[in-house]
């Protein structure tokens, strides 16, 4: 029995970004910015998860392509700071085209692993579902919102609600948060910082 009301089709999906748990956030940020060429787009802590994160990108369409996350120095093979984001790969993230696609993926994951193994929320910039693969690596499936807010940010959502309800509730939730603005404006500003053109929006070929 499907967990949510969703179309009976495969979701449209793109690979988006990945994250790793690290021993030294400062040293790793320096390497990936100074040597590799990433631009830091956000950083901060999520007290409820006990994690500190730095977000980086080379693409103005993507708020982050790469995330480094605080890990326990002596046990990165089994990071116990937060059980959900516990593997050496912090997360593999995939963009979906719509909230309907997100519900389709939620149903597939619920059928595979059970609803208790899923976490649905909003980052303000996205609506998201977190899950795990068979070997415990954390997966994120998300849909962009029209808005930007400073990251990290995470609040639970109920995907059983309609698209209209989720959009209205999320906008009300983030409108007074730091950094709130149109996501397109934020992307244009990052394109200028990177010195790269804002070529296309996600799923521009749709």
């Amino acid at each position: 029995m499907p967990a949510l009301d969703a179309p009976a089709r495969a979701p449209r999906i793109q690979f988006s970004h990945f994250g790793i748990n690290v021993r030294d956030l400062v040293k790793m940020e320096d390497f990936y910015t100074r040597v590799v060429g990433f631009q830091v787009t956000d950083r901060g802590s999520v007290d409820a998860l006990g994690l500190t994160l730095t977000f980086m990108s080379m693409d103005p369409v993507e708020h982050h392509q790469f995330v480094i996350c605080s890990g326990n120095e002596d046990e990165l093979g089994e990071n116990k700071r937060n059980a959900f984001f516990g593997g050496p790969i912090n997360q593999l993230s995939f963009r979906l085209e719509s909230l309907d696609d997100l519900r389709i993926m939620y149903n597939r994951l619920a059928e595979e692993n059970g609803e208790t193994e899923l976490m649905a929320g909003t980052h303000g910039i996205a609506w998201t579902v977190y899950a795990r693969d068979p070997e415990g690596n954390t997966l994120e499936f998300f849909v962009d919102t029209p808005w930007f807010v400073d990251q990290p940010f995470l609040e639970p959502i109920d995907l059983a609600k309609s698209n209209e309800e989720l959009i209205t509730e999320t906008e009300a939730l983030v409108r007074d948060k730091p950094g709130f603005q149109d996501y397109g404006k934020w992307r244009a500003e990052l394109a200028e910082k990177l010195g790269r053109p804002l070529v296309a929006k996600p799923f521009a070929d749709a």
Side-chain angles (χ1 to χ4, degrees):
M1 184 75 177
L4 299 169
D5 184 22
R9 59 171 175 79
R12 291 200 74 203
I13 188 169
Q14 293 176 339
F15 179 76
S16 173
H17 59 272
F18 72 101
I20 60 173
N21 295 317
V22 303
R23 293 181 175 85
D24 190 327
L25 281 166
V26 174
K27 183 181 291 185
M28 291 290 275
E29 177 184 322
D30 173 69
F31 174 81
Y32 279 100
T33 54
R34 179 177 52 81
V35 179
V36 180
F38 278 100
Q39 169 86 32
V40 173
T41 57
D42 258 318
R43 61 165 61 84
S45 298
V46 183
D47 293 338
L49 300 179
L51 301 173
T52 300
L53 307 99
T54 301
F55 303 86
M56 295 179 248
S57 185
M58 292 183 187
D59 185 345
V61 168
E62 300 284 359
H63 171 265
H64 52 279
Q65 296 175 300
F66 182 44
V67 186
I68 55 174
C69 180
S70 56
N72 280 343
E73 290 77 3
D74 298 325
E75 46 186 46
L76 268 186
E78 188 182 355
N79 182 12
K80 296 178 181 177
R81 287 200 176 182
N82 181 272
F84 203 96
F85 299 94
I89 296 177
N90 175 265
Q91 62 183 269
L92 296 171
S93 298
F94 300 86
R95 172 181 281 109
L96 299 170
E97 187 176 24
S98 69
L99 284 168
D100 282 342
D101 289 292
L102 191 62
R103 292 187 185 91
I104 293 168
M105 185 57 69
Y106 184 99
N107 286 346
R108 291 183 170 201
L109 295 164
E111 185 175 345
E112 186 75 16
N113 298 326
E115 285 189 82
T116 58
E117 295 300 312
L118 304 178
M119 182 171 68
T122 179
H123 293 299
I125 62 175
W127 296 284
T128 188
V129 170
Y130 286 102
R132 294 189 188 90
D133 70 14
E135 294 193 358
N137 296 303
T138 301
L139 306 177
E140 179 192 22
F141 300 90
F142 72 93
V143 178
D144 288 323
T145 76
W147 314 288
F148 174 83
V149 294
D150 291 347
Q151 299 296 304
F153 176 86
L154 178 62
E155 291 289 339
I157 59 170
D158 182 0
L159 284 173
K161 294 183 176 181
S162 69
N163 291 355
E164 293 74 19
E165 288 175 308
L166 285 171
I167 291 167
T168 299
E169 290 179 6
T170 303
E171 182 175 10
L173 181 66
V174 302
R175 183 163 284 278
D176 63 348
K177 295 297 184 290
F180 175 81
Q181 61 180 295
D182 178 81
Y183 210 166
K185 180 176 181 291
W186 183 90
R187 283 172 166 148
E189 291 173 352
L190 180 58
E192 187 173 348
K193 288 180 183 177
L194 291 169
R196 297 188 178 189
L198 186 56
V199 177
K201 293 182 179 179
F203 293 103
D205 62 331

